Amino acid sequence: SSERKGILKSYENDNKRLKSTGVFSIDASLNYLFTRAKEKDINFNLSINADVTALTNIINENDLNTLILDLGENAIIATAETQKKNILIVFSMLNESICLDIFDSANLFAPSVLSNFGIRRITTRKKSGGSGIGLMTTFELMKKYDASFSVDETLENESYTKKVSVCFD
């Protein structure tokens, strides 16, 4: 039974394809993250509940890719260290604003990390080469596009412990 479960999971991951956003470079970034997650045995899912092509009218495509890759890579790094390994990226609508939501099953943020978001570069993995530049870049892009950033660590969900959101409101 456990051998079959492993075979089914392997088959599922090997044949899984992400839904297209309609923007080639965004699809390429998401597929890159999917491949990285698969290498670390992380379940990676994508949900598109907003018009991503419309989002590229709000934020430059390269900047959107930077946000997706920086936040997605952070989720992969954090989740790789946990027993439960799940990541979900969602393009959603909130009060007529398009949001990029990244859910993961990693540990919650340390208070020192939360209090320094956007203020100074901070990393929890300095020994392995982390620099904290990804979150600083995220905050620079949010400022450039008047976007908001939120963290929800109160999810009542078996698969995910937190959600990081950037909303273009």
Side-chain angles (χ1 to χ4, degrees):
S1 163
S2 109
E3 185 179 310
R4 286 184 185 147
K5 184 178 177 182
I7 291 169
L8 287 174
K9 184 177 179 181
S10 175
Y11 175 80
E12 215 174 68
N13 282 338
D14 289 346
N15 294 295
K16 182 177 182 177
R17 301 288 176 250
L18 296 178
K19 186 175 177 185
S20 175
T21 64
V23 181
F24 179 78
S25 68
I26 304 300
D27 290 345
S29 292
L30 291 166
N31 278 300
Y32 168 78
L33 291 171
F34 172 64
T35 301
R36 293 264 298 123
K38 191 163 49 166
E39 289 168 357
K40 298 190 179 294
D41 202 28
I42 298 170
N43 298 315
F44 184 98
N45 289 296
L46 172 66
S47 179
I48 304 169
N49 304 316
D51 184 353
V52 179
T53 55
L55 183 56
T56 61
N57 294 326
I58 298 168
I59 177 174
N60 171 289
E61 201 173 311
N62 288 332
D63 289 344
L64 180 56
N65 277 305
T66 298
L67 276 176
I68 292 167
L69 290 168
D70 284 348
L71 294 173
E73 190 69 34
N74 285 350
I76 289 169
I77 291 165
T79 304
E81 303 298 319
T82 61
Q83 190 172 13
K84 196 178 281 188
K85 299 175 185 291
N86 297 308
I87 294 174
L88 169 63
I89 295 182
V90 180
F91 291 94
S92 65
M93 293 296 297
L94 179 65
N95 301 328
E96 299 184 33
S97 298
I98 301 176
C99 300
L100 168 64
D101 305 314
I102 300 182
F103 295 80
D104 69 45
S105 59
N107 296 325
L108 301 181
F109 290 110
S112 62
V113 173
L114 286 172
S115 65
N116 283 292
F117 275 163
I119 298 169
R120 68 180 183 89
R121 289 177 15 184
I122 187 161
T123 182
T124 56
R125 49 181 207 91
K126 193 170 213 137
K127 291 179 183 174
S128 62
S131 67
I133 193 88
L135 270 178
M136 285 305 292
T137 302
T138 295
F139 275 83
E140 289 168 9
L141 290 172
M142 289 178 359
K143 189 174 184 177
K144 178 178 176 180
Y145 293 102
D146 256 349
S148 60
F149 181 84
S150 65
V151 173
D152 185 353
E153 296 183 321
T154 62
L155 303 178
E156 293 181 14
N157 187 299
E158 200 174 286
S159 299
Y160 305 102
T161 54
K162 64 181 178 293
K163 172 178 78 165
V164 172
S165 297
V166 175
C167 289
F168 296 89
D169 50 4

